[in-house]
mmCIF file of all heavy atoms in Angstrom:
data_model
loop_
_atom_site.group_PDB
_atom_site.id
_atom_site.type_symbol
_atom_site.label_atom_id
_atom_site.label_comp_id
_atom_site.label_asym_id
_atom_site.label_seq_id
_atom_site.Cartn_x
_atom_site.Cartn_y
_atom_site.Cartn_z
ATOM 1 N N GLY X 1 9.209 24.692 42.420
ATOM 2 C CA GLY X 1 8.956 25.622 41.325
ATOM 3 C C GLY X 1 7.478 25.748 41.028
ATOM 4 O O GLY X 1 6.947 25.065 40.140
ATOM 5 N N LEU X 2 6.774 26.612 41.757
ATOM 6 C CA LEU X 2 5.342 26.776 41.547
ATOM 7 C C LEU X 2 4.974 27.143 40.107
ATOM 8 O O LEU X 2 3.986 26.627 39.573
ATOM 9 C CB LEU X 2 4.787 27.818 42.518
ATOM 10 C CG LEU X 2 4.396 27.312 43.907
ATOM 11 C CD1 LEU X 2 4.060 28.476 44.823
ATOM 12 C CD2 LEU X 2 3.214 26.354 43.820
ATOM 13 N N PRO X 3 5.724 28.027 39.425
ATOM 14 C CA PRO X 3 5.367 28.325 38.034
ATOM 15 C C PRO X 3 5.361 27.087 37.135
ATOM 16 O O PRO X 3 4.545 26.992 36.224
ATOM 17 C CB PRO X 3 6.449 29.331 37.604
ATOM 18 C CG PRO X 3 6.827 30.021 38.871
ATOM 19 C CD PRO X 3 6.788 28.942 39.913
ATOM 20 N N ALA X 4 6.252 26.138 37.397
ATOM 21 C CA ALA X 4 6.265 24.910 36.601
ATOM 22 C C ALA X 4 4.964 24.137 36.794
ATOM 23 O O ALA X 4 4.366 23.639 35.835
ATOM 24 C CB ALA X 4 7.457 24.039 36.977
ATOM 25 N N LEU X 5 4.500 24.040 38.037
ATOM 26 C CA LEU X 5 3.243 23.346 38.311
ATOM 27 C C LEU X 5 2.066 24.091 37.698
ATOM 28 O O LEU X 5 1.151 23.480 37.125
ATOM 29 C CB LEU X 5 3.056 23.194 39.819
ATOM 30 C CG LEU X 5 1.752 22.537 40.291
ATOM 31 C CD1 LEU X 5 1.554 21.169 39.670
ATOM 32 C CD2 LEU X 5 1.739 22.443 41.818
ATOM 33 N N GLU X 6 2.072 25.401 37.787
ATOM 34 C CA GLU X 6 1.001 26.204 37.202
ATOM 35 C C GLU X 6 0.954 26.030 35.684
ATOM 36 O O GLU X 6 -0.123 25.953 35.080
ATOM 37 C CB GLU X 6 1.208 27.674 37.571
ATOM 38 C CG GLU X 6 1.026 27.937 39.059
ATOM 39 C CD GLU X 6 1.576 29.278 39.505
ATOM 40 O OE1 GLU X 6 2.130 30.014 38.665
ATOM 41 O OE2 GLU X 6 1.467 29.606 40.698
ATOM 42 N N ALA X 7 2.129 25.952 35.060
ATOM 43 C CA ALA X 7 2.189 25.741 33.608
ATOM 44 C C ALA X 7 1.610 24.376 33.239
ATOM 45 O O ALA X 7 0.828 24.257 32.281
ATOM 46 C CB ALA X 7 3.633 25.854 33.126
ATOM 47 N N LEU X 8 1.971 23.341 33.980
ATOM 48 C CA LEU X 8 1.438 22.007 33.704
ATOM 49 C C LEU X 8 -0.077 21.987 33.844
ATOM 50 O O LEU X 8 -0.787 21.402 33.021
ATOM 51 C CB LEU X 8 2.049 20.986 34.661
ATOM 52 C CG LEU X 8 3.554 20.733 34.587
ATOM 53 C CD1 LEU X 8 3.946 19.649 35.574
ATOM 54 C CD2 LEU X 8 3.991 20.374 33.193
ATOM 55 N N SER X 9 -0.582 22.622 34.893
ATOM 56 C CA SER X 9 -2.015 22.660 35.127
ATOM 57 C C SER X 9 -2.752 23.391 34.016
ATOM 58 O O SER X 9 -3.922 23.114 33.751
ATOM 59 C CB SER X 9 -2.301 23.350 36.473
ATOM 60 O OG SER X 9 -3.679 23.381 36.753
ATOM 61 N N SER X 10 -2.042 24.314 33.352
ATOM 62 C CA SER X 10 -2.618 25.075 32.237
ATOM 63 C C SER X 10 -2.475 24.349 30.908
ATOM 64 O O SER X 10 -2.874 24.882 29.863
ATOM 65 C CB SER X 10 -1.947 26.445 32.150
ATOM 66 O OG SER X 10 -2.020 27.143 33.374
ATOM 67 N N GLY X 11 -1.895 23.153 30.933
ATOM 68 C CA GLY X 11 -1.693 22.404 29.697
ATOM 69 C C GLY X 11 -0.633 23.009 28.807
ATOM 70 O O GLY X 11 -0.646 22.825 27.585
ATOM 71 N N LEU X 12 0.315 23.721 29.400
ATOM 72 C CA LEU X 12 1.365 24.395 28.640
ATOM 73 C C LEU X 12 2.600 23.501 28.544
ATOM 74 O O LEU X 12 3.157 23.117 29.575
ATOM 75 C CB LEU X 12 1.723 25.716 29.326
ATOM 76 C CG LEU X 12 2.766 26.607 28.655
ATOM 77 C CD1 LEU X 12 2.352 26.981 27.248
ATOM 78 C CD2 LEU X 12 2.999 27.864 29.498
ATOM 79 N N PRO X 13 3.038 23.123 27.344
ATOM 80 C CA PRO X 13 4.251 22.313 27.210
ATOM 81 C C PRO X 13 5.437 22.991 27.891
ATOM 82 O O PRO X 13 5.597 24.214 27.783
ATOM 83 C CB PRO X 13 4.451 22.224 25.695
ATOM 84 C CG PRO X 13 3.101 22.464 25.112
ATOM 85 C CD PRO X 13 2.434 23.435 26.038
ATOM 86 N N ALA X 14 6.263 22.203 28.582
ATOM 87 C CA ALA X 14 7.320 22.777 29.405
ATOM 88 C C ALA X 14 8.676 22.154 29.124
ATOM 89 O O ALA X 14 8.791 20.947 28.901
ATOM 90 C CB ALA X 14 6.976 22.624 30.883
ATOM 91 N N VAL X 15 9.701 23.015 29.186
ATOM 92 C CA VAL X 15 11.096 22.590 29.172
ATOM 93 C C VAL X 15 11.680 23.013 30.516
ATOM 94 O O VAL X 15 11.737 24.208 30.823
ATOM 95 C CB VAL X 15 11.878 23.244 28.015
ATOM 96 C CG1 VAL X 15 13.349 22.841 28.075
ATOM 97 C CG2 VAL X 15 11.277 22.852 26.673
ATOM 98 N N LEU X 16 12.108 22.039 31.325
ATOM 99 C CA LEU X 16 12.537 22.302 32.690
ATOM 100 C C LEU X 16 13.977 21.869 32.926
ATOM 101 O O LEU X 16 14.447 20.902 32.315
ATOM 102 C CB LEU X 16 11.628 21.553 33.675
ATOM 103 C CG LEU X 16 10.113 21.769 33.552
ATOM 104 C CD1 LEU X 16 9.378 20.881 34.557
ATOM 105 C CD2 LEU X 16 9.755 23.224 33.745
ATOM 106 N N SER X 17 14.645 22.577 33.822
ATOM 107 C CA SER X 17 15.973 22.144 34.249
ATOM 108 C C SER X 17 15.844 20.815 34.978
ATOM 109 O O SER X 17 14.872 20.567 35.699
ATOM 110 C CB SER X 17 16.610 23.202 35.155
ATOM 111 O OG SER X 17 15.725 23.544 36.211
ATOM 112 N N ASP X 18 16.832 19.954 34.788
ATOM 113 C CA ASP X 18 16.781 18.609 35.357
ATOM 114 C C ASP X 18 17.228 18.662 36.817
ATOM 115 O O ASP X 18 18.395 18.441 37.152
ATOM 116 C CB ASP X 18 17.668 17.667 34.546
ATOM 117 C CG ASP X 18 17.349 16.208 34.836
ATOM 118 O OD1 ASP X 18 16.586 15.947 35.774
ATOM 119 O OD2 ASP X 18 17.859 15.334 34.115
ATOM 120 N N THR X 19 16.277 18.978 37.699
ATOM 121 C CA THR X 19 16.541 19.081 39.135
ATOM 122 C C THR X 19 15.593 18.154 39.883
ATOM 123 O O THR X 19 14.536 17.777 39.354
ATOM 124 C CB THR X 19 16.327 20.516 39.630
ATOM 125 O OG1 THR X 19 14.931 20.851 39.518
ATOM 126 C CG2 THR X 19 17.155 21.519 38.821
ATOM 127 N N PRO X 20 15.923 17.793 41.129
ATOM 128 C CA PRO X 20 15.007 16.945 41.907
ATOM 129 C C PRO X 20 13.624 17.570 42.056
ATOM 130 O O PRO X 20 12.611 16.863 41.996
ATOM 131 C CB PRO X 20 15.713 16.815 43.253
ATOM 132 C CG PRO X 20 17.165 17.005 42.944
ATOM 133 C CD PRO X 20 17.203 18.013 41.838
ATOM 134 N N GLY X 21 13.576 18.890 42.237
ATOM 135 C CA GLY X 21 12.297 19.559 42.390
ATOM 136 C C GLY X 21 11.421 19.440 41.157
ATOM 137 O O GLY X 21 10.231 19.127 41.242
ATOM 138 N N HIS X 22 12.013 19.689 39.983
ATOM 139 C CA HIS X 22 11.241 19.611 38.738
ATOM 140 C C HIS X 22 10.839 18.174 38.407
ATOM 141 O O HIS X 22 9.732 17.918 37.920
ATOM 142 C CB HIS X 22 12.041 20.216 37.585
ATOM 143 C CG HIS X 22 11.977 21.705 37.537
ATOM 144 N ND1 HIS X 22 12.980 22.489 36.995
ATOM 145 C CD2 HIS X 22 11.027 22.576 37.959
ATOM 146 C CE1 HIS X 22 12.643 23.761 37.087
ATOM 147 N NE2 HIS X 22 11.470 23.835 37.671
ATOM 148 N N ARG X 23 11.730 17.220 38.662
ATOM 149 C CA ARG X 23 11.386 15.819 38.413
ATOM 150 C C ARG X 23 10.229 15.380 39.308
ATOM 151 O O ARG X 23 9.369 14.598 38.886
ATOM 152 C CB ARG X 23 12.607 14.926 38.654
ATOM 153 C CG ARG X 23 13.687 15.039 37.600
ATOM 154 C CD ARG X 23 13.300 14.296 36.331
ATOM 155 N NE ARG X 23 14.375 14.329 35.335
ATOM 156 C CZ ARG X 23 14.312 13.726 34.151
ATOM 157 N NH1 ARG X 23 13.229 13.030 33.823
ATOM 158 N NH2 ARG X 23 15.307 13.803 33.295
ATOM 159 N N TYR X 24 10.203 15.880 40.528
ATOM 160 C CA TYR X 24 9.114 15.558 41.457
ATOM 161 C C TYR X 24 7.797 16.147 40.964
ATOM 162 O O TYR X 24 6.751 15.490 41.029
ATOM 163 C CB TYR X 24 9.459 16.104 42.839
ATOM 164 C CG TYR X 24 8.298 16.158 43.806
ATOM 165 C CD1 TYR X 24 7.644 15.000 44.223
ATOM 166 C CD2 TYR X 24 7.863 17.375 44.320
ATOM 167 C CE1 TYR X 24 6.587 15.058 45.116
ATOM 168 C CE2 TYR X 24 6.806 17.441 45.212
ATOM 169 C CZ TYR X 24 6.175 16.285 45.606
ATOM 170 O OH TYR X 24 5.126 16.346 46.485
ATOM 171 N N ILE X 25 7.834 17.355 40.425
ATOM 172 C CA ILE X 25 6.616 18.019 39.977
ATOM 173 C C ILE X 25 6.088 17.405 38.683
ATOM 174 O O ILE X 25 4.914 17.027 38.576
ATOM 175 C CB ILE X 25 6.868 19.528 39.765
ATOM 176 C CG1 ILE X 25 7.196 20.213 41.085
ATOM 177 C CG2 ILE X 25 5.658 20.195 39.104
ATOM 178 C CD1 ILE X 25 7.722 21.626 40.931
ATOM 179 N N ALA X 26 6.954 17.308 37.666
ATOM 180 C CA ALA X 26 6.496 16.994 36.308
ATOM 181 C C ALA X 26 6.661 15.536 35.909
ATOM 182 O O ALA X 26 5.989 15.061 34.991
ATOM 183 C CB ALA X 26 7.227 17.889 35.305
ATOM 184 N N ARG X 27 7.596 14.839 36.536
ATOM 185 C CA ARG X 27 7.906 13.462 36.142
ATOM 186 C C ARG X 27 8.112 13.384 34.618
ATOM 187 O O ARG X 27 9.023 14.029 34.103
ATOM 188 C CB ARG X 27 6.826 12.511 36.661
ATOM 189 C CG ARG X 27 6.727 12.532 38.189
ATOM 190 C CD ARG X 27 6.042 11.352 38.799
ATOM 191 N NE ARG X 27 4.612 11.335 38.527
ATOM 192 C CZ ARG X 27 3.741 10.600 39.221
ATOM 193 N NH1 ARG X 27 4.157 9.832 40.219
ATOM 194 N NH2 ARG X 27 2.454 10.612 38.919
ATOM 195 N N SER X 28 7.273 12.669 33.882
ATOM 196 C CA SER X 28 7.489 12.513 32.438
ATOM 197 C C SER X 28 6.736 13.556 31.608
ATOM 198 O O SER X 28 6.682 13.462 30.388
ATOM 199 C CB SER X 28 7.064 11.116 31.986
ATOM 200 O OG SER X 28 5.672 10.915 32.217
ATOM 201 N N ALA X 29 6.173 14.571 32.271
ATOM 202 C CA ALA X 29 5.336 15.544 31.566
ATOM 203 C C ALA X 29 6.106 16.780 31.118
ATOM 204 O O ALA X 29 5.523 17.843 30.945
ATOM 205 C CB ALA X 29 4.168 15.963 32.454
ATOM 206 N N ALA X 30 7.409 16.668 30.923
ATOM 207 C CA ALA X 30 8.213 17.811 30.486
ATOM 208 C C ALA X 30 9.450 17.307 29.759
ATOM 209 O O ALA X 30 9.864 16.151 29.915
ATOM 210 C CB ALA X 30 8.623 18.674 31.681
ATOM 211 N N GLU X 31 10.044 18.187 28.968
ATOM 212 C CA GLU X 31 11.380 17.967 28.433
ATOM 213 C C GLU X 31 12.371 18.545 29.434
ATOM 214 O O GLU X 31 12.100 19.580 30.070
ATOM 215 C CB GLU X 31 11.543 18.654 27.076
ATOM 216 C CG GLU X 31 10.734 18.037 25.955
ATOM 217 C CD GLU X 31 11.302 16.693 25.501
ATOM 218 O OE1 GLU X 31 12.486 16.433 25.772
ATOM 219 O OE2 GLU X 31 10.556 15.906 24.901
ATOM 220 N N TYR X 32 13.521 17.900 29.584
ATOM 221 C CA TYR X 32 14.501 18.350 30.573
ATOM 222 C C TYR X 32 15.827 18.705 29.907
ATOM 223 O O TYR X 32 16.225 18.098 28.910
ATOM 224 C CB TYR X 32 14.737 17.262 31.626
ATOM 225 C CG TYR X 32 13.530 16.998 32.491
ATOM 226 C CD1 TYR X 32 12.626 15.985 32.167
ATOM 227 C CD2 TYR X 32 13.280 17.771 33.621
ATOM 228 C CE1 TYR X 32 11.507 15.752 32.957
ATOM 229 C CE2 TYR X 32 12.167 17.536 34.413
ATOM 230 C CZ TYR X 32 11.287 16.527 34.077
ATOM 231 O OH TYR X 32 10.180 16.295 34.847
ATOM 232 N N PHE X 33 16.498 19.712 30.489
ATOM 233 C CA PHE X 33 17.828 20.092 30.021
ATOM 234 C C PHE X 33 18.780 20.133 31.207
ATOM 235 O O PHE X 33 18.354 20.234 32.360
ATOM 236 C CB PHE X 33 17.793 21.449 29.309
ATOM 237 C CG PHE X 33 17.484 22.619 30.219
ATOM 238 C CD1 PHE X 33 18.505 23.353 30.817
ATOM 239 C CD2 PHE X 33 16.166 22.989 30.484
ATOM 240 C CE1 PHE X 33 18.222 24.421 31.644
ATOM 241 C CE2 PHE X 33 15.873 24.057 31.300
ATOM 242 C CZ PHE X 33 16.902 24.782 31.890
ATOM 243 N N GLN X 34 20.048 20.050 30.912
ATOM 244 C CA GLN X 34 21.069 20.076 31.960
ATOM 245 C C GLN X 34 21.070 21.450 32.622
ATOM 246 O O GLN X 34 21.242 22.467 31.960
ATOM 247 C CB GLN X 34 22.443 19.776 31.374
ATOM 248 C CG GLN X 34 23.548 19.675 32.416
ATOM 249 C CD GLN X 34 24.884 19.342 31.781
ATOM 250 O OE1 GLN X 34 24.953 18.971 30.624
ATOM 251 N NE2 GLN X 34 25.958 19.494 32.544
ATOM 252 N N CYS X 35 20.861 21.469 33.923
ATOM 253 C CA CYS X 35 20.728 22.722 34.655
ATOM 254 C C CYS X 35 21.930 23.639 34.435
ATOM 255 O O CYS X 35 23.084 23.193 34.455
ATOM 256 C CB CYS X 35 20.567 22.428 36.149
ATOM 257 S SG CYS X 35 20.211 23.882 37.137
ATOM 258 N N SER X 36 21.661 24.921 34.177
ATOM 259 C CA SER X 36 22.657 25.976 33.979
ATOM 260 C C SER X 36 23.413 25.863 32.658
ATOM 261 O O SER X 36 24.294 26.667 32.388
ATOM 262 C CB SER X 36 23.682 26.007 35.135
ATOM 263 O OG SER X 36 23.039 26.218 36.372
ATOM 264 N N ASN X 37 23.066 24.869 31.829
ATOM 265 C CA ASN X 37 23.758 24.658 30.558
ATOM 266 C C ASN X 37 22.977 25.355 29.443
ATOM 267 O O ASN X 37 21.912 24.891 29.029
ATOM 268 C CB ASN X 37 23.888 23.159 30.280
ATOM 269 C CG ASN X 37 24.775 22.868 29.089
ATOM 270 O OD1 ASN X 37 24.680 23.518 28.047
ATOM 271 N ND2 ASN X 37 25.648 21.878 29.235
ATOM 272 N N ILE X 38 23.506 26.455 28.962
ATOM 273 C CA ILE X 38 22.844 27.266 27.937
ATOM 274 C C ILE X 38 22.634 26.467 26.656
ATOM 275 O O ILE X 38 21.577 26.541 26.019
ATOM 276 C CB ILE X 38 23.665 28.533 27.660
ATOM 277 C CG1 ILE X 38 23.733 29.403 28.911
ATOM 278 C CG2 ILE X 38 23.074 29.325 26.499
ATOM 279 C CD1 ILE X 38 24.765 30.516 28.817
ATOM 280 N N PHE X 39 23.641 25.684 26.282
ATOM 281 C CA PHE X 39 23.567 24.926 25.033
ATOM 282 C C PHE X 39 22.521 23.820 25.115
ATOM 283 O O PHE X 39 21.769 23.571 24.165
ATOM 284 C CB PHE X 39 24.938 24.351 24.683
ATOM 285 C CG PHE X 39 26.013 25.402 24.614
ATOM 286 C CD1 PHE X 39 26.919 25.559 25.656
ATOM 287 C CD2 PHE X 39 26.103 26.252 23.526
ATOM 288 C CE1 PHE X 39 27.893 26.534 25.597
ATOM 289 C CE2 PHE X 39 27.081 27.229 23.452
ATOM 290 C CZ PHE X 39 27.984 27.373 24.496
#
């Protein structure tokens, strides 16, 4: 997810789906939600 990395580099707080790709990019630098779960 290149936009996620670009957001982190811009110092933009992020909420990311909990996927292997996002965990690899952001580690502890994001809030995570259950993928595809609207609630």
